[in-house]
Amino acid sequence: MRLFIAIELSDKLKDSLTAMQAQLRARRVGGNYTKVENLHLTLAFIGEYGDSDRVLDVMRAVPFAPFPIALEGFGCFGDLYWCGLARQEALTAYVGRLRRALAEADIPFDRKRFSPHITLLRKASVDKLPGITVPEASMTAERVSLMRSERGKNGMIYTELGTAAAQRAGRA
């Protein structure tokens, strides 16, 4: 199974991101646009790994408290265009704890430095990054999802396999 750990986005945030994609399309930027249902924030890319239960156990053992995330910035990694997020210490700290727990459990993951972004477009058809407006939008991240990625005939299909959520007071 091809796995990754992510924060799924609110409809409001997805609406803002699709508005950014519409701005790119209006500027005639071609490429492989991320489908609205696939917009997410990757925290750790695991890749091919057969034990999703083990990953979920690690995720659920890492303390998680809700935190806000807000759109901020637009950029690219080569021909991949993304929307960035405002600096959020709670997000950075959580990702650090999560990745340490994965490493301690010998679960492989991509160890590139965490750079919080949401992919809007892959294989962009223009060389110069167009100027577009980043809408003001935010949400509260209340859970983290383990996702499976499969190639379908019309692109990638992401399926949630399980979650880790904040512990609420009074919960058994």
Side-chain angles (χ1 to χ4, degrees):
M1 286 184 284
R2 190 169 186 247
L3 304 174
F4 62 95
I5 300 171
I7 293 174
E8 295 208 72
L9 306 175
S10 69
D11 289 343
K12 178 182 172 190
L13 221 61
K14 286 181 179 183
D15 289 346
S16 295
L17 294 164
T18 56
M20 291 177 69
Q21 290 176 322
Q23 290 179 60
L24 290 167
R25 286 186 174 101
R27 287 169 176 75
R28 301 192 190 291
V29 178
N32 297 333
Y33 282 85
T34 304
K35 292 186 233 174
V36 66
E37 63 269 18
N38 287 353
L39 292 167
H40 67 275
L41 171 62
T42 299
L43 306 180
F45 179 77
I46 296 169
E48 294 295 329
Y49 190 73
D51 193 347
S52 60
D53 289 337
R54 189 157 180 244
V55 177
L56 282 167
D57 288 344
V58 169
M59 288 170 54
R60 291 175 179 149
V62 177
F64 177 83
F67 52 80
I69 57 175
L71 301 183
E72 181 180 275
F74 171 71
C76 65
F77 304 128
D79 64 355
L80 183 145
Y81 287 8
W82 50 261
C83 179
L85 298 177
R87 183 169 170 75
Q88 174 48 258
E89 230 15 81
L91 169 63
T92 303
Y94 174 74
V95 170
R97 290 191 308 271
L98 175 66
R99 289 177 172 207
R100 272 191 300 283
L102 290 169
E104 288 168 4
D106 291 324
I107 296 172
F109 64 95
D110 185 345
R111 294 180 184 249
K112 284 186 207 135
R113 185 175 69 82
F114 179 61
S115 178
H117 68 280
I118 301 160
T119 301
L120 300 174
L121 170 69
R122 288 178 173 79
K123 298 182 182 176
S125 65
V126 295
D127 293 331
K128 185 179 176 202
L129 192 64
I132 66 169
T133 303
V134 178
E136 283 190 34
S138 62
M139 64 172 271
T140 299
E142 296 191 10
R143 66 189 191 132
V144 178
S145 300
L146 177 61
M147 306 294 290
R148 179 178 62 214
S149 173
E150 300 173 286
R151 186 167 305 280
K153 66 179 181 177
N154 295 318
M156 298 308 288
I157 300 167
Y158 299 154
T159 306
E160 184 180 75
L161 300 178
T163 64
Q167 299 299 315
R168 303 268 187 228
R171 208 166 141 188

